[in-house]
Amino acid sequence: MSVKSKAAVAFEPGKPLEIVEIDVQEPKEHEVMVKIDFTSVCHTDVYTLSGNDPSGIFPCVLGHEATGTVVQIGEGVTNVEVGDKVVPLWKPECGECEYCKRGLNFCSAISDTQGKGVMPDGTPRFSYKGEPIYHFMGTSTFSEYTVLADISVAKIPEGAEMDKVALLGCGVTTGLGAVKNDAEFKSGSTAAVFGIGTLGLAAIQMLKELGASRIIAVDINNEKEKLAKEFGATEFINSDEIDPPIQEYIVEMTDGGVDYSFVCVGHTETMNAGLECTHKGWGLSIIMGVASGQDKISTRPFHLITGRTWKGSSFGGVTGRTGLPKIIKAHMAGEIDLDPFITHRMTIDKINEAIELQEDGQSLRDIITFE
Ligand code: CU
């Protein structure tokens, strides 16, 4: 048994997605079929499509930020029912592996098959003209119907705005969580944020919420200044327009360095600057940007020995099935504003436009529907 589904398929790296009708097989044991209501393009989709990510498997259905409705469940599924509203999780949560037991969001239960673009039984559920189409990040939300492992869906609390909550599936949660969970940011402290896209702006929103005394936004595009300040940045620096290296500039203007820095770009030199612009003794720098290939970060050990800490953050330290519903509730309570992240709304037929806008940094998020 299978259903017909409108999907944007990435047939080859570097080529636009093609809107075609694919076949989606019904869910097997411990799998669920979800009808995607809203999805958006995130940097990782663009990066994988570009072909720069060697782990990208083609042809595939990209997409990993979304909300949807469970329409069918396989045998043994107990955590959701047909009709439940869910956020697909590119970071599953089995609750039983070594990572889950420690409360960390690095669940290993299905990581092998997820990385190969197939379901836990080793096969994909998608096909086009009889040929297999592979999954992406265990979610593949650029298809009206998709199949996920049951541990890869988080239930959405009753009454949530499904379109906006879709944005909590990756980027916004990462930025908010890096500040709150990974940095455990202390009120009254100072911060620098490198890279003013969705991650950086979400970080700024949380910094403001937690009472940062200074929020220094850094980008190489002056058009980002207005946006950064609307979200709560107190200062903006174009790192291309200053003379000294950005870390020296920030150390100078903050009398020794910022208390925290958040790096939301994939350049390792910026990551190095992120550490080096923090204060001796207690500075903490968090890396959220994903660097390409074999690039390495580097700094003088002196910077660490003198009390700075270098840390990475993935999905803001938020666990999917247990932690994400709490973030959704915080949004519902008015603590997280998702409206300013929505740049456009469009249908799936325009998805290549959304990809270009994301690639060029012209959209924060475009909300995509299937009809
Ligand atoms: Cu993402």
Side-chain angles (χ1 to χ4, degrees):
M1 281 283 290
S2 67
V3 299
K4 298 277 179 202
S5 176
K6 192 174 191 182
V9 177
F11 282 100
E12 274 177 72
K15 295 268 169 68
L17 304 184
E18 282 181 46
I19 310 298
V20 295
E21 195 177 68
I22 61 169
D23 294 296
V24 183
Q25 265 178 56
E26 63 182 5
K28 294 191 179 175
E29 202 179 351
H30 283 292
E31 295 176 4
V32 298
M33 184 185 279
V34 171
K35 182 178 191 294
I36 298 296
D37 297 310
F38 301 95
T39 187
S40 48
V41 177
C42 171
H43 175 76
T44 316
D45 304 308
V46 177
Y47 184 62
T48 303
L49 181 62
S50 72
N52 292 325
D53 183 355
S55 67
I57 291 160
F58 294 86
C60 68
V61 175
L62 297 168
H64 63 283
E65 265 189 9
T67 48
T69 310
V70 176
V71 291
Q72 208 181 335
I73 60 172
E75 261 177 65
V77 175
T78 55
N79 59 319
V80 286
E81 292 171 6
V82 170
D84 280 352
K85 305 285 187 191
V86 294
V87 176
L89 298 171
W90 57 275
K91 279 179 164 275
E93 184 180 357
C94 73
E96 285 157 22
C97 72
E98 212 45 53
Y99 300 97
C100 287
K101 275 196 270 183
R102 287 170 190 250
L104 303 173
N105 66 6
F106 297 103
C107 179
S108 61
I110 60 169
S111 44
D112 283 355
T113 48
Q114 180 170 319
K116 293 188 178 102
V118 290
M119 296 303 290
D121 75 341
T123 62
R125 298 289 162 272
F126 304 129
S127 61
Y128 178 62
K129 293 180 176 169
E131 294 295 318
I133 304 278
Y134 294 95
H135 298 251
F136 173 68
M137 289 176 91
T139 50
S140 289
T141 60
F142 296 164
S143 174
E144 190 173 15
Y145 292 91
T146 188
V147 174
L148 303 100
D150 57 359
I151 58 170
S152 303
V153 290
K155 252 203 238 190
I156 298 175
E158 199 79 28
E161 295 168 292
M162 293 282 281
D163 55 344
K164 294 172 192 171
V165 167
L167 305 189
L168 292 173
C170 184
V172 175
T173 299
T174 300
L176 297 170
V179 174
K180 194 171 184 178
N181 304 328
D182 297 301
E184 296 181 343
F185 185 86
K186 286 186 190 57
S187 178
S189 308
T190 58
V193 178
F194 293 79
I196 306 305
T198 297
L199 295 186
L201 291 167
I204 290 172
Q205 187 178 113
M206 183 55 79
L207 286 166
K208 188 184 176 196
E209 161 107 14
L210 295 179
S213 59
R214 280 177 91 172
I215 305 172
I216 303 164
V218 183
D219 204 285
I220 52 171
N221 179 352
N222 286 330
E223 282 169 29
K224 302 283 184 173
E225 176 167 4
K226 188 168 165 275
L227 205 52
K229 290 193 170 159
E230 279 167 7
F231 272 76
T234 56
E235 289 134 280
F236 177 87
I237 306 170
N238 184 326
S239 51
D240 275 355
E241 288 181 359
I242 53 167
D243 204 18
I246 183 69
Q247 53 268 55
E248 282 173 30
Y249 192 85
I250 291 174
V251 166
E252 177 74 20
M253 71 188 272
T254 55
D255 203 12
V258 283
D259 302 319
Y260 299 84
S261 76
F262 300 89
V263 180
C264 312
V265 293
H267 310 128
T268 50
E269 285 208 10
T270 309
M271 295 175 184
N272 301 341
L275 178 80
E276 291 165 11
C277 77
T278 64
H279 204 287
K280 178 184 172 182
W282 60 79
L284 170 62
S285 182
I286 305 253
I287 293 175
M288 308 179 230
V290 177
S292 54
Q294 304 302 310
D295 294 352
K296 288 179 178 161
I297 52 172
S298 63
T299 193
R300 290 162 57 214
F302 172 81
H303 288 298
L304 295 171
I305 289 167
T306 48
R308 295 174 191 82
T309 304
W310 221 343
K311 218 177 155 180
S313 169
S314 177
F315 198 41
V318 174
T319 50
R321 290 203 287 145
T322 52
L324 191 56
K326 291 178 200 159
I327 310 249
I328 299 171
K329 281 187 184 151
H331 163 61
M332 293 166 78
E335 292 160 34
I336 297 167
D337 189 5
L338 295 171
D339 295 286
F341 291 100
I342 302 170
T343 312
H344 305 103
R345 290 174 185 266
M346 48 181 79
T347 59
I348 192 81
D349 310 274
K350 299 271 170 66
I351 193 159
N352 288 307
E353 256 173 63
I355 286 170
E356 270 176 45
L357 290 165
Q358 179 66 222
E359 199 167 16
D360 300 343
Q362 292 182 54
S363 279
L364 293 175
R365 285 296 186 263
D366 298 329
I367 292 192
I368 295 165
T369 51
F370 286 85
E371 58 219 25

